[in-house]
Amino acid sequence: MLVLGIETSCDETGVALYHGERGLLAHVLHSQVQLHAEYGGVVPELASRDHVRRVLPLLEQCLSQAGVTRADIDGVAYTAGPGLIGALLVGASVGRSLAFAWGVPAVGVHHMEGHLLAPMLEAEPPEFPFAALLVSGGHTQLVRVDGVGRYTLLGESLDDAAGEAFDKTAKLLGLGYPGGPALAQLAQQGDPQRFAFPRPMTDRPGLDFSFSGLKTYALTTLQQHGLEASADIARAFEDAVVDTLAIKCRRVLKQTGLKRLVMAGGVSANRRLRSKLAEIAAEEGARVYYPRPEFCTDNGAMIAYAGYVRLHAGQHEPLAIRAQPRWPMETLPAPR
Ligand code: KG4
Ligand code: ZN
């Protein structure tokens, strides 16, 4: 079974082809970073319009890279939410319409389920059950995963998501959008001893997070020491986020007794976070799994894969275009 995946929930247009036996055949991506950079963040209307421009040319490119034609496609998966409504509508309309025209089933994929299953595209995928840390621009969640569609939310951010905190702090430090990678790069030159930032909500039980205070902490430190201190602030901030996430991941492994920890979403591309989680997992006798860096951030491959799993299990949409800006992942059905 060959599935076309389309991702347009935010600021990347991603298209991919996943085959049940042959694996990922091709994936292409267009990032809108240049488009939004001058505004310091994603402008939703510009994002939607750019998806319209890119999606079909990317599809042509993906087909030729994979060496297949549209007649080979057995199903279409598109991101149906959560995300920016205008952006989602582009992928949803295109995906649903193509499936209708080609006479194949379509399925609306949950963007965070896409992230969650992205490690399945790697050479040694995790087996169920596992604990997952989902860290993106919009979500920070700890989830117990007993199978596809069998998700128990164990903890989440009560305010800013980890990626959002990276982006906002990067902005304070005068770094461009998207801020996460830029802040991580600046932090490499920072002195880890100079400032000690708090590890929010780690002194009490539970698995929830709060990151908005760290941004304020960064601002206050910046006001006291000036931009000269920005690399040291970046380092202190990154260490605080990484440590806080690691403390809660260790807690999840201890509480659940699970021996597999998956990390996914844009922030899981962060090198310090990857090595820190590998370290704590090893100490807990567990193993950590993450996608290759290009599949941590938004991409079409994860949508094609998640869509394949659900289409293969017989799940598909009626003749309606589905786009849901808000969509709790725990409400997803488990395929038969
Ligand atoms: O998963 P993603 O591409 O989009 C959403 O679903 O939100 O995540 C994007 C987020 C942004 O906040 C970005 O700054 C952050 O992931 N990010 C990083 C790194 N790479 C991306 N944060 C810290 N370190 C990185 N290396
Ligand atoms: Zn994402």
Side-chain angles (χ1 to χ4, degrees):
M1 180 179 211
L2 179 64
V3 173
L4 168 68
I6 302 174
E7 155 64 34
T8 66
S9 69
C10 189
D11 57 350
E12 341 256 11
T13 320
V15 177
L17 286 158
Y18 184 86
H19 189 276
E21 279 94 52
R22 297 165 60 203
L24 189 65
L25 299 190
H27 64 97
V28 291
L29 187 81
H30 180 263
S31 164
Q32 301 179 355
V33 164
Q34 301 294 335
L35 179 69
H36 301 293
E38 64 175 295
Y39 304 97
V42 180
V43 183
E45 181 59 23
L46 293 183
S48 314
R49 291 186 210 173
D50 200 57
H51 288 308
V52 171
R53 277 192 289 272
R54 306 288 175 182
V55 67
L56 290 176
L58 282 174
L59 169 60
E60 294 295 340
Q61 196 185 328
C62 194
L63 286 169
S64 81
Q65 251 184 42
V68 300
T69 69
R70 59 186 74 170
D72 299 317
I73 294 173
D74 302 302
V76 179
Y78 60 85
T79 306
L84 302 170
I85 186 63
L88 289 168
L89 274 169
V90 178
S93 321
V94 169
R96 190 67 198 84
S97 309
L98 287 176
F100 175 65
W102 297 340
V104 297
V107 70
V109 169
H110 192 289
H111 181 79
M112 296 312 292
E113 178 173 77
H115 277 304
L116 177 71
L117 298 178
M120 299 299 185
L121 293 165
E122 301 307 321
E124 290 178 51
E127 280 170 33
F128 300 113
F130 55 76
L133 172 70
L134 296 178
V135 271
S136 70
H139 294 79
T140 301
Q141 298 181 324
L142 277 165
V143 186
R144 183 191 164 98
V145 180
D146 287 291
V148 173
R150 295 174 64 202
Y151 308 132
T152 314
L153 184 64
L154 302 174
E156 65 183 331
S157 179
L158 305 178
D159 42 56
D160 292 353
E164 188 180 1
F166 263 97
D167 293 340
K168 287 178 175 172
T169 304
K171 209 166 189 173
L172 292 176
L173 297 175
L175 304 172
Y177 144 87
L183 190 148
Q185 205 182 344
L186 180 63
Q188 282 180 29
Q189 297 141 41
D191 174 3
Q193 307 300 335
R194 180 152 175 215
F195 302 116
F197 280 30
R199 279 34 178 171
M201 293 182 72
T202 53
D203 55 352
R204 64 188 100 160
L207 296 167
D208 287 334
F209 303 94
S210 165
F211 289 113
S212 70
L214 282 180
K215 165 194 68 197
T216 315
Y217 211 88
L219 177 62
T220 316
T221 313
L222 180 66
Q223 283 165 345
Q224 282 164 0
H225 298 269
L227 268 178
E228 160 277 319
S230 59
D232 300 335
I233 294 172
R235 180 60 196 263
F237 171 84
E238 183 181 43
D239 281 350
V241 174
V242 166
D243 254 15
T244 304
L245 292 169
I247 289 167
K248 298 290 164 90
C249 284
R250 189 195 294 276
R251 218 175 264 181
V252 157
L253 293 175
K254 278 194 195 303
Q255 283 182 13
T256 60
L258 292 168
K259 294 296 174 204
R260 287 176 286 266
L261 174 67
V262 160
M263 61 190 294
V267 183
S268 65
N270 185 277
R271 282 169 51 198
R272 224 175 280 283
L273 181 62
R274 288 164 89 92
S275 62
K276 183 80 188 180
L277 291 194
E279 203 180 296
I280 64 123
E283 284 165 15
E284 298 300 322
R287 193 177 151 188
V288 69
Y289 299 83
Y290 23 56
R292 70 195 84 166
E294 63 174 328
F295 291 166
C296 287
T297 44
D298 291 349
N299 64 85
M302 66 185 195
I303 303 304
Y305 177 77
Y308 161 77
V309 171
R310 290 189 171 276
L311 287 165
H312 186 68
Q315 189 185 325
H316 53 83
E317 305 287 332
L319 269 183
I321 290 159
R322 189 144 74 92
Q324 292 170 242
R326 288 176 191 283
W327 185 8
M329 197 171 70
E330 313 87 81
T331 63
L332 290 177
R336 279 170 291 117

